[in-house]
Amino acid sequence: MDERDIVGKLEVAEPELLGANAATLEREMAWASRVIEAGIRLYFEQECEVAEVRALEPPGLVGDASPYAVLLREHGMGFEQRFVLILALLVHLRPHLLDPFLIRNTNFERSFTEFGGMVAPHGGFQPTLETAAFVLAGASLERRLALARLFDPDQPLRRARLLELGEGTGPGLFASALKVHPGRLHSLICGTPWQPSFSSEFPARRLGTGLEWDELVANEELHEAVDEVRAWIEHGHELVESWGLGRHVRPGLRVLFYGPPGTGKTLTAALLGKRCGMDVYRLDLAQTVSKYIGETEKNLGRVFDMAEHERWILFFDEADALFGKRGAANSANDRYANQEVAYLLQRIEDYPGVVILATNLKGNIDEAFARRFQAMVYFPQPDREERLRLWRQACGARLPPGADLGELADRFDISGGAIGNVLRHAALMALRRGSAHLHLDDLREGALRELRKEGRFVPASSSSFT
């Protein structure tokens, strides 16, 4: 995914939040500019205000509530980490502050090797790890070697996926381009969570709903099961950290939603995300599953890699298409299919966030997956009282005075998803007539259509259609 594409889709934070973040970044960039100037002056033995770049203390963070300052505190960023991070951001925010690295070595009529870096697409300077090493370590080999540890996978800059080591100018760690992770670029600049757009590189779509938590129509048992999932999402971290359960349970939460079509599995996933303040991303199986060996794992791997450090819920609809039962390995294709399922099992088990799988038939899910779910939630067909609530929610104030939905709830044993289809049909009929109200006849006809679609028995009417 091209960083320039992502930057063009950034959502602007609330004005106050954006202003606070901009002020913090301005101070950080002004400090970085002084450090760069000092590093160059000291290396070339020119007059300088300090004898060592670390004498230029970074801006204070106490009392700074901007998202950027919060992130620096959260990850315990020191002098070196803060400089490297803002150095990587300069190419997006103030590229001209990197221009001092464009000076040429007149002795060899070329750029200074010590500066590292490369020409960026905009014609300016793209820093590499060599650039950071030049400023922070100078000619000291000991400091240079110590600096290399900042980019180990278990260090904050890499562990929090703040930086990526991009394609470099040559072999070796220090030749790698210094780039901000695309997802983190959004939150670092704007102070709001990253919401990636659907693409071949990210085959998932953000799932939302206009309904609220208390509008979920379900029986008491289903409500209790869903509420337990919600409680784990909200308090799981506390249980693992404060209660010490991390020694006994794996991180993350894996849940199976199963039941007939249209019973609210997708809606419930969206409501859980809305209630817990988390984005829900539904994996697009058409973009994810590939007939080519290794492509399905690669597609899923990209999603899991991006989601690993975000507060996302990953939702797999029609999960049996990906997580179906493994069969006997009678051919190369069978062995590959089983290998694919094993890979998915491992990625889900290692994922530290929330994964929800939905299926119409629980029996289609591979037993190896079933054993690893912390919760299995059954979504039954709604009963008469639940159907009546669904009809009332769907039709709302669009019914004429005195219209009785009880007959529809009694007569048509259909799901909430089917009721939504009925509403669409009846609303279109009303619009064609130029009416502002739904007609019961249209609702009945729509419900009959839903039953016919499912190949089910159409019940006789207990009342007149007029």
Side-chain angles (χ1 to χ4, degrees):
M1 186 179 294
D2 195 314
E3 281 190 13
R4 290 168 292 174
D5 293 338
I6 295 171
V7 174
K9 299 173 183 175
L10 298 182
E11 293 185 7
V12 178
E14 293 295 330
E16 297 81 4
L17 193 64
L18 189 62
N21 218 44
T24 299
L25 287 168
E26 288 283 10
R27 291 192 293 272
E28 206 78 0
M29 289 187 291
W31 164 69
S33 180
R34 292 179 63 204
V35 173
I36 290 171
E37 182 183 0
I40 293 174
R41 285 182 171 277
L42 290 170
Y43 183 80
F44 290 109
E45 299 181 346
Q46 297 174 348
E47 184 179 348
C48 184
E49 61 177 311
V50 293
E52 207 271 326
V53 293
R54 284 163 185 77
L56 297 170
E57 293 191 7
L61 301 175
V62 177
D64 190 340
S66 67
Y68 191 84
V70 170
L71 180 139
L72 295 179
R73 289 197 299 267
E74 179 185 347
H75 294 289
M77 297 282 188
F79 186 100
E80 289 84 1
Q81 290 99 330
R82 287 177 67 172
F83 177 76
V84 170
L85 182 57
I86 196 64
L87 183 66
L89 282 172
L90 285 178
V91 73
H92 303 286
L93 301 174
R94 291 281 192 274
H96 67 273
L97 295 181
L98 296 168
D99 286 352
F101 294 116
L102 293 174
I103 60 174
R104 298 182 65 79
N105 187 333
T106 55
N107 293 328
F108 299 99
E109 289 301 319
R110 52 166 292 175
S111 59
F112 281 91
T113 306
E114 300 94 321
F115 292 170
M118 62 186 78
V119 177
H122 55 72
F125 184 83
Q126 167 66 58
T128 60
L129 271 62
E130 188 68 58
T131 313
F134 167 78
V135 176
L136 295 174
S140 171
L141 180 60
E142 181 180 355
R143 284 188 171 177
R144 181 183 175 89
L145 296 177
L147 188 67
R149 295 185 57 193
L150 292 182
F151 308 101
D152 289 345
D154 62 339
Q155 294 299 305
L157 291 173
R158 297 285 303 283
R159 186 180 66 244
R161 293 182 67 82
L162 293 169
L163 291 182
E164 288 184 330
L165 301 184
E167 184 178 348
T169 56
L173 170 66
F174 286 92
S176 301
L178 201 58
K179 292 188 174 183
V180 180
H181 183 271
R184 290 302 192 187
L185 182 61
H186 186 175
S187 55
L188 289 170
I189 293 176
C190 293
T192 55
W194 179 43
Q195 294 178 347
S197 300
F198 174 83
S199 69
S200 60
E201 295 292 317
F202 186 76
R205 300 180 189 273
R206 187 163 172 259
L207 191 62
T209 177
L211 297 179
E212 300 299 331
W213 181 259
D214 57 5
E215 294 180 276
L216 177 64
V217 177
N219 60 37
E220 185 176 346
E221 184 178 352
L222 176 55
H223 258 301
E224 179 63 29
V226 172
D227 207 52
E228 186 175 334
V229 173
R230 178 197 59 77
W232 173 265
I233 294 174
E234 292 181 344
H235 305 294
H237 180 76
E238 180 183 350
L239 290 176
V240 170
E241 297 294 331
S242 303
W243 288 51
L245 296 185
R247 296 179 300 166
H248 308 288
V249 298
R250 296 183 69 89
L253 179 66
R254 292 161 287 281
V255 184
L256 178 68
F257 287 176
Y258 67 100
T263 49
K265 300 182 288 292
T266 302
L267 171 63
T268 302
L271 285 172
L272 280 168
K274 190 173 185 178
R275 176 65 182 265
C276 300
M278 302 170 69
D279 286 335
V280 182
Y281 282 93
R282 175 166 57 187
L283 275 290
D284 187 301
L285 298 185
Q287 288 279 350
T288 305
V289 179
S290 174
K291 65 181 179 180
Y292 298 107
I293 292 178
E295 282 300 309
T296 299
E297 291 94 326
K298 187 186 297 183
N299 293 339
L300 282 165
R302 282 194 291 261
V303 175
F304 277 107
D305 288 344
M306 290 183 184
E308 193 170 8
H309 297 281
E310 306 291 339
R311 293 190 73 249
W312 292 346
I313 295 174
L314 295 182
F315 179 67
F316 291 82
D317 201 3
E318 299 179 1
D320 37 334
L322 276 175
F323 306 97
K325 290 186 175 181
R326 286 173 280 191
N330 297 321
S331 67
N333 287 339
D334 292 336
R335 287 192 295 273
Y336 168 64
N338 290 345
Q339 176 185 328
E340 186 179 88
V341 173
Y343 170 82
L344 298 175
L345 174 61
Q346 188 62 50
R347 286 308 305 253
I348 283 184
E349 195 161 19
D350 291 341
Y351 181 60
V354 181
V355 177
I356 299 175
L357 278 64
T359 180
N360 297 334
L361 295 171
K362 175 185 172 185
N364 288 348
I365 298 294
D366 188 275
E367 291 85 351
F369 281 107
R371 289 195 300 269
R372 287 165 171 82
F373 290 121
Q374 282 95 352
M376 292 189 181
V377 182
Y378 176 58
F379 287 74
Q381 194 79 357
D383 62 22
R384 192 268 179 191
E385 292 305 316
E386 291 160 3
R387 289 197 297 273
L388 184 57
R389 283 186 59 195
L390 288 167
W391 281 113
R392 286 172 176 166
Q393 279 189 7
C395 298
R398 289 289 180 180
L399 282 172
D404 180 18
L405 292 171
E407 178 212 340
L408 299 178
D410 288 330
R411 186 181 174 201
F412 300 105
D413 180 15
I414 57 178
S415 67
I419 289 174
N421 292 337
V422 173
L423 176 64
R424 184 181 295 109
H425 165 77
L428 285 172
M429 293 300 101
L431 286 173
R432 289 174 65 180
R433 284 191 300 267
S435 173
H437 295 288
L438 300 171
H439 285 207
L440 283 176
D441 284 351
D442 295 330
L443 293 170
R444 293 188 190 99
E445 177 57 32
L448 288 170
R449 287 185 177 192
E450 290 300 309
L451 289 175
R452 293 190 193 104
K453 277 166 50 178
E454 299 172 14
R456 294 167 58 193
F457 172 70
V458 179
S461 174
S462 58
S463 62
S464 170
F465 268 61
T466 59

